[in-house]
Amino acid sequence: MSDELQRIMAIDDPYLLLRKVTTRLAEAQQEVTELARLRRRVVQDLHAQGLSYAQIAAKAGLSRGRIHQIRHTGPAPEGAFLGRGAVTVATPLRRDDERGRTVVAVDDVSSGKRLEDLARSYGLDVTSEHVPVTGEIDLNRDGLVVVCGPRMSQEMWDTYAQDPVLHWERAGDGPWTVADRRTGIVYRSGQDSDPVRPYDVGYLGRLSRPDGKGSLLAIAGIHTQGSLGVVQLLANDLNALWGQVGDHRFSTLVGVEYDPETSEPQAVELLCPLYRHDEETSA
């Protein structure tokens, strides 16, 4: 029996005991999920290195059938791309100056809901919140997935500014663009082109928290359709993304062709490599 369990069992106040047991159960369930994810990842990695299930079983002291079961059941390793144990999905509130009220963009709602569903499909606990119209948000938390561009939050502007390759830019009151410092290409939204076309650019990156003690997943479009395209990329290709960058800090851009009536992505493609930030800063 662990010391922590003994401390909980020694609590006399029944209401405090109930609260502590409920909290500890939730934490334990998250730990079990992440341990199962890590175990499956180890088996997959060893098998990818050329070891048979029988060889892995013999070295680990488990049966071949058990190793095969681990390989094909339980939470998929790529779920760790979004977070471990629990994630919080944050989407922005916007100010409707004409009506004098706070609103939520439909596309932002869709992006947030789809991210929540995706995270749950990988066995992660999910909560949601909004970035207020002031843009103030506490980024020094584990498991944050933030759908918010630099225009709507100073905290996110400062976070995006860390990126050693991809740089958000805006000239005066002109349209936002994203510049690739490695290639010199400047990416623009089709909404800001002449003629206008249903095309947008989305940003996806894992960036350092302000306190330097972790990272967050940042998603933004030049317009809201770009964010929807990034979410579709995650839903379709999370395994490939995880295989390329794991839990390292990185960033990339996504081109999105969308239905002009519904904003739904019709085609999504990477516009540049997945830039590993540790490789960029050491180059």
Side-chain angles (χ1 to χ4, degrees):
M1 186 181 298
S2 70
D3 291 343
E4 183 178 8
L5 180 55
Q6 290 181 354
R7 285 194 298 271
I8 292 174
M9 293 179 66
I11 296 173
D12 292 327
D13 184 333
Y15 302 105
L16 177 59
L17 176 61
L18 181 59
R19 186 165 63 251
K20 290 290 187 182
V21 169
T22 301
T23 300
R24 182 63 191 123
L25 274 172
E27 293 171 347
Q29 288 167 355
Q30 290 179 3
E31 291 174 5
V32 168
T33 297
E34 291 310 312
L35 286 171
R37 193 189 312 281
L38 178 59
R39 181 176 62 175
R40 181 175 173 181
R41 176 184 174 184
V42 171
V43 171
Q44 287 186 189
D45 289 347
L46 291 172
H47 190 57
Q49 294 169 19
L51 276 72
S52 68
Y53 293 139
Q55 290 172 317
I56 298 171
K59 290 180 178 294
L62 300 169
S63 70
R64 182 186 182 282
R66 184 64 175 135
I67 294 298
H68 188 273
Q69 181 186 40
I70 291 170
R71 169 63 179 82
H72 294 286
T73 60
E78 60 265 28
F81 187 94
L82 301 171
R84 287 183 169 84
V87 300
T88 299
V89 177
T91 53
L93 295 174
R94 300 170 185 268
R95 181 69 179 175
D96 184 340
D97 292 327
E98 184 176 331
R99 294 179 175 84
R101 62 182 183 180
T102 301
V103 298
V104 181
V106 172
D107 292 347
D108 290 336
V109 172
S110 297
S111 291
K113 179 65 167 58
R114 292 172 192 182
L115 283 168
E116 293 171 26
D117 291 344
L118 180 63
R120 290 192 182 97
S121 74
Y122 284 99
L124 297 163
D125 291 339
V126 182
T127 56
S128 63
E129 65 180 53
H130 290 300
V131 181
V133 292
T134 61
E136 297 175 356
I137 179 173
D138 177 13
L139 300 178
N140 295 322
R141 294 175 284 162
D142 293 335
L144 270 181
V145 181
V146 185
V147 184
C148 182
R151 177 178 67 86
M152 305 188 69
S153 167
Q154 182 63 47
E155 282 84 352
M156 289 305 297
W157 168 263
D158 294 340
T159 300
Y160 286 118
Q162 305 170 25
D163 193 317
V165 185
L166 302 175
H167 180 61
W168 288 87
E169 298 178 341
R170 188 184 192 189
D173 294 329
W176 284 88
T177 60
V178 186
D180 185 326
R181 290 166 167 162
R182 174 181 282 189
T183 64
I185 298 174
V186 177
Y187 294 93
R188 296 175 172 82
S189 173
Q191 294 186 38
D192 305 318
S193 304
D194 187 12
V196 173
R197 63 189 182 103
Y199 176 84
D200 201 31
V201 175
Y203 176 104
L204 169 65
R206 182 176 293 113
L207 306 172
S208 294
R209 292 174 6 185
D211 63 4
K213 297 180 180 180
S215 60
L216 59 95
L217 199 64
I219 296 171
I222 293 180
H223 298 285
T224 56
Q225 293 87 350
S227 298
L228 277 172
V230 171
V231 174
Q232 179 161 307
L233 178 77
L234 291 173
N236 292 343
D237 298 318
L238 193 63
N239 186 43
L241 295 170
W242 170 254
Q244 292 186 62
V245 298
D247 56 7
H248 294 281
R249 290 170 177 78
F250 79 97
S251 57
T252 192
L253 295 177
V254 178
V256 186
E257 296 180 12
Y258 59 89
D259 185 322
E261 298 297 326
T262 65
S263 292
E264 284 297 315
Q266 302 296 301
V268 176
E269 65 173 350
L270 288 176
L271 297 176
C272 63
L274 277 71
Y275 292 121
R276 280 266 303 269
H277 291 177
D278 55 348
E279 296 175 352
E280 295 298 323
T281 53
S282 62

